[in-house]
Amino acid sequence: MNPLVLNITHSILGQPWRWRMLSTDARDPGFSPDDLVTQLLLARGCPREALDAHRAPSIRAFMPDPSIFRDMDRAADRLADAVQAGEPVAIFGDYDVDGATSAALMILLLRDLGLEARAYIPDRLMEGYGPSGEALVRLTNEGARLIVTVDCGAQAFEALEMARVAGVDVIVVDHHKCAAALPHAHALVNPNRLDEEEGAAHGHLAAVGVAFLLGAALVRTLRARGYFDGRAEPRLLDLLDLVALGTVADVAHLKGLNRAFVAQGLKVMAQRRNIGLGALASAARLTRAAICSDLGFALGPRINAGGRVGKSDLGVRLLTTQDPAEAEAIAGELDRLNEERRAIEALVQTAAEEIAGAQGNRAVMVVAGHGWHPGVIGIVAGRLKERYGRPAIVIAVDENGVGKGSGRSIPGVDLGAGVLAAKDSGLLVAGGGHAMAAGLTIAEDQVEAFAAFLEERLEAAVTRSIGDRALLVDALLTPGGVNPLLVEAMEAGGPYGMGWPAPRIVAGPVRIIKADIVGNGHVRAIASGDDGRPLKTVAFRAADTLLGQALLGAPPHRRLWLAGRAKIDDWGARPAAELHLDDAAWAD
C-alpha cells in the first residue's frame, strides 16, 4: 500500500492521504527520477520504456492498425463503395457530445471525399436513445442506401432487423458494452464486442475515436483502389479537434491512444479550423487556446445542451457548418440553452438529493421522480456520485409510468455491466452503457426491484472501492511554491482527465485569513503560510460540506494542510496560481 502523506489517516473529509507513486525501490530499484514530469508519468502507470512516447503523445506512436478490429475492413469496404458510387448515406448519431462529434467527423470526412451525407439525431424526449426501427425505415424510404450509426446501435436488435427487412445496409460504430449476441448489421465495429481479440485493448476509446479509426481505414481502402490518383487525400488529422472534444466530454480514460487524440486535437483546436468550434469557444468566452478541462466544462456542456433541453441536431449542425453566420447563431443558441439547462438541473438535483439522503448506506443509489427533465438526469447522477462517493442512477418517470434513467459510477464498479445484466433478467425495457456510465428505460413498478438487483450484484464491488479509497497526492509544497511556473511544469505531464488524473498537491501548513461563500455554494478562502505568502483557494460546491464548514469556521490559531489541484487564475493583470481544493487536514 502506498505510504501516507504527513501521516494523515483521517482528513476533514474522513480519508487517508497517500502518495500516488509507490517508492522507487518497489517500482524500479536503482531508478530515481529527479524531474517532476517523469515522476508524474510514472505515477500514472506509464512504463519506464514508454516515457518518451508519453511526454509528447503522438498519433504515430499510439495508432493501431484499424484492421485489428472485427468488421473494420468490411465497414471500410462498404463505405468506399458508397463514396465511389455516390450513394445516399445517412449518419445516425446519439444526441450527446460523443454522438455529435462522431457524426460530424463522418460527415466532414465524407464531404471531403465528395459525398454529402445526411445527419440524423433522434429527439431525446420523443424518440429516446439509439436507433429506432421506424427512424431507420424512414431514412431508407427517403433514399438512404447506407446508414452508419455512431455512438449507438450495439444493442439495437429490433431496429436493425427492421432495417434489414427494409433492404438498407447498416454499419454500427459504437463503444458501449455488447451482449454475447449481436444485432444484425452489415458491419459492427466496437472494441467492446465480447468476441474482440487484439482490438479489445482499445475498449477505452470513445465512439468518436472508433469513428476516426474507421475514417483511417476508409481512406486507406480508397487509396488502394486508386481513388486519389486525380484528387487530394483528405487531411484526417485536421479532424482531431472533434476527436479530442468527444473523448474528453464522454469521460473516456485518457490512456494510450486517447492521450494522443486529445494532445494533438488540442493543437488542431487552437488553430480554429472548425468554424463551429471557433464560434462555440467565443460563445463560451474562451479568449485563449482551449485546454483539456475546457472541453469537459465549457465546450462539451454547451453542445450537450442541444440534446438535453433544445433541438438535438444543433451540435452536429454547428460542427459541420461552413457558414460563419450560421455558426455564430447556433453557438449563441447553445449558450442560451446551457443556461436553461443549469436552472432545470438545479431543481432536479434538489429533489434527487432529498430522496438520496433518506437511503442510508445503500451501495448504489437509485432515485426516481415524476416531472424530472430527462435531459439533466445524467448530470444529476454525476453530482450524487460525487457527493456520496458511490454509484448513482437518476430516473425521470413520465405520465405513462415509463422511466428514463441515467447512471454514473465510481472506479472499480462496472455499472454498464450491471445494467446490462438487469436488462437480461427482464427488469428493464432497455439498457446498456460502459463501466462508468449507463442509461436505461424501466417501468415505474420495477424501480425498487431494479435497485435491489443492483444492490445485490454491485455491493461487494462498491464496498471494496470505498475501502480502498484514499486521496492520492503527487507533491508536497510550501504555499509559496504554488505558482504559475509550477502549473506550467505539471501541464507537461498531460493531457489529464479520466484515468490520467491531474496532479494533486498538498500545500501548507497555512492559516485561513478570510473565507466566504461565492456563486453557487462555492467556498473561497485566502490562506497564508508561515512565511506570510498568501494562497488563493476555492472549494467548489462545498458550502454545506465538512470541508466548506472547516474553511469557513477555521480559527485563526489553527493551521491546515490543503490538498487540491493548482490552476492558473488569469482574471487579474497578470496570471497567478490558485488551489482548487479537494480536501484539508488539521496540522495542529
Side-chain angles (χ1 to χ4, degrees):
M1 183 175 290
N2 298 33
L4 290 168
V5 176
L6 299 168
N7 290 318
I8 293 171
T9 59
H10 198 83
S11 69
I12 286 173
L13 292 181
Q15 58 190 336
W17 291 3
R18 297 190 179 278
W19 292 109
R20 191 184 305 276
M21 185 173 177
L22 294 170
S23 68
T24 53
D25 288 340
R27 285 183 58 101
D28 193 350
F31 181 58
S32 299
D34 58 0
D35 69 287
L36 179 61
V37 174
T38 297
Q39 293 178 40
L40 294 175
L41 294 175
L42 291 172
R44 280 146 188 78
C46 176
R48 181 178 172 186
E49 63 274 11
L51 283 170
D52 288 343
H54 281 78
R55 285 180 190 277
S58 66
I59 303 299
R60 180 184 298 274
F62 289 97
M63 181 85 165
D65 181 347
S67 295
I68 67 173
F69 298 91
R70 289 190 177 274
D71 279 6
M72 180 68 83
D73 290 339
R74 182 172 171 81
D77 281 334
R78 181 65 184 87
L79 269 171
D81 291 344
V83 168
Q84 290 184 295
E87 291 183 75
V89 174
I91 309 298
F92 190 110
D94 188 22
Y95 37 63
D96 69 358
V97 183
D98 194 16
T101 52
S102 299
L105 184 148
M106 295 303 303
I107 289 169
L108 291 175
L109 176 59
L110 290 173
R111 182 181 293 166
D112 279 351
L113 292 170
L115 185 66
E116 195 65 39
R118 171 185 177 181
Y120 186 96
I121 310 295
D123 182 272
R124 181 189 291 265
L125 297 180
M126 302 301 295
E127 298 178 82
Y129 169 77
S132 67
E134 293 78 10
L136 297 183
V137 171
R138 185 165 62 253
L139 287 171
T140 305
N141 291 338
E142 292 172 358
R145 301 270 60 84
L146 173 64
I147 299 173
V148 183
T149 72
V150 288
D151 197 29
C152 57
Q155 294 291 313
F157 291 90
E158 294 182 8
L160 294 186
E161 178 59 21
M162 290 178 66
R164 184 191 69 79
V165 172
V168 66
D169 288 336
V170 178
I171 295 172
V172 175
V173 180
D174 205 351
H175 70 132
H176 293 101
K177 294 279 185 180
C178 291
L182 296 174
H184 177 87
H186 182 84
L188 196 157
V189 184
N190 185 337
N192 288 305
R193 288 175 54 154
L194 295 183
D195 60 348
E196 192 61 78
E197 296 175 352
E198 190 177 351
H202 300 278
H204 59 289
L205 292 178
V208 70
V210 182
F212 181 87
L213 293 174
L214 175 57
L218 170 60
V219 170
R220 183 174 63 183
T221 299
L222 288 171
R223 185 187 305 123
R225 295 184 183 187
Y227 187 72
F228 302 117
D229 289 350
R231 61 183 300 154
E233 289 193 19
R235 288 179 52 84
L236 196 58
L237 295 181
D238 286 353
L239 300 176
L240 284 174
D241 48 2
L242 298 177
V243 183
L245 176 58
T247 297
V248 173
D250 210 52
V251 202
H253 277 225
L254 295 192
K255 61 181 183 179
L257 181 57
N258 279 346
R259 294 195 69 239
F261 279 155
V262 175
Q264 299 305 318
L266 286 170
K267 295 178 182 178
V268 175
M269 194 175 295
Q271 300 169 21
R272 297 206 173 191
R273 294 182 178 179
N274 186 293
I275 294 172
L277 270 180
L280 191 65
S282 296
R285 276 73 69 185
L286 282 179
T287 57
R288 48 163 173 75
I291 59 177
C292 193
S293 59
D294 294 326
L295 308 187
F297 295 104
L299 303 181
R302 285 170 168 81
I303 289 183
N304 258 337
R308 293 188 188 280
V309 298
K311 298 178 181 178
S312 60
D313 66 346
L314 284 175
V316 172
R317 287 171 52 199
L318 175 74
L319 298 175
T320 57
T321 185
Q322 296 174 303
D323 181 350
E326 181 184 29
E328 183 178 357
I330 296 175
E333 176 70 358
L334 288 172
D335 188 53
R336 184 191 67 78
L337 289 170
N338 191 50
E339 291 302 314
E340 181 180 332
R341 183 271 304 169
R342 290 184 182 184
I344 296 171
E345 174 196 326
L347 294 174
V348 176
Q349 183 175 338
T350 299
E353 285 182 347
E354 184 175 347
I355 298 172
Q359 292 188 350
N361 293 322
R362 182 181 284 184
V364 181
M365 290 179 296
V366 179
V367 301
H370 287 267
W372 293 355
H373 196 299
V376 302
I377 55 178
I379 301 173
V380 174
R383 299 278 191 237
L384 293 181
K385 181 223 28 171
E386 292 173 5
R387 176 163 184 169
Y388 294 99
R390 59 199 65 213
I393 294 177
V394 179
I395 300 172
V397 182
D398 66 18
E399 64 276 8
N400 299 314
V402 177
K404 297 291 186 181
S406 186
R408 300 293 183 268
S409 194
I410 60 177
V413 181
D414 192 336
L415 187 61
V419 167
L420 196 58
K423 175 179 176 292
D424 291 341
S425 71
L427 289 169
L428 303 177
V429 177
H434 46 81
M436 300 300 289
L440 58 97
T441 303
I442 187 172
E444 183 178 12
D445 59 7
Q446 292 288 341
V447 170
E448 284 305 316
F450 171 60
F453 177 91
L454 287 185
E455 190 74 9
E456 180 178 355
R457 180 181 177 90
L458 300 179
E459 183 179 13
V462 172
T463 300
R464 187 164 51 250
S465 177
I466 293 174
D468 293 340
R469 184 176 298 160
L471 192 81
L472 300 181
V473 174
D474 291 285
L476 176 63
L477 301 167
T478 63
V482 184
N483 56 52
L485 290 178
L486 171 76
V487 178
E488 182 180 346
M490 291 191 301
E491 284 300 315
Y496 299 108
M498 178 61 68
W500 197 270
R504 181 181 288 115
I505 65 173
V506 169
V510 300
R511 290 180 174 84
I512 302 301
I513 305 303
K514 178 184 178 182
D516 55 3
I517 299 174
V518 297
N520 187 23
H522 312 313
V523 176
R524 178 180 58 191
I526 304 296
S528 177
D530 292 340
D531 59 0
R533 299 282 294 275
L535 174 62
K536 295 175 60 177
T537 71
V538 181
F540 292 103
R541 296 185 298 276
D544 60 350
T545 68
L546 292 174
L547 174 58
Q549 293 302 307
L551 295 171
L552 292 166
H557 64 278
R558 293 200 69 183
R559 300 185 303 169
L560 285 160
W561 294 102
L562 302 177
R565 323 277 184 164
K567 301 290 184 179
I568 294 294
D569 174 17
D570 50 13
W571 284 99
R574 61 179 184 175
E578 63 183 18
L579 198 59
H580 294 181
L581 298 180
D582 297 317
D583 200 355
W586 296 110
D588 45 35

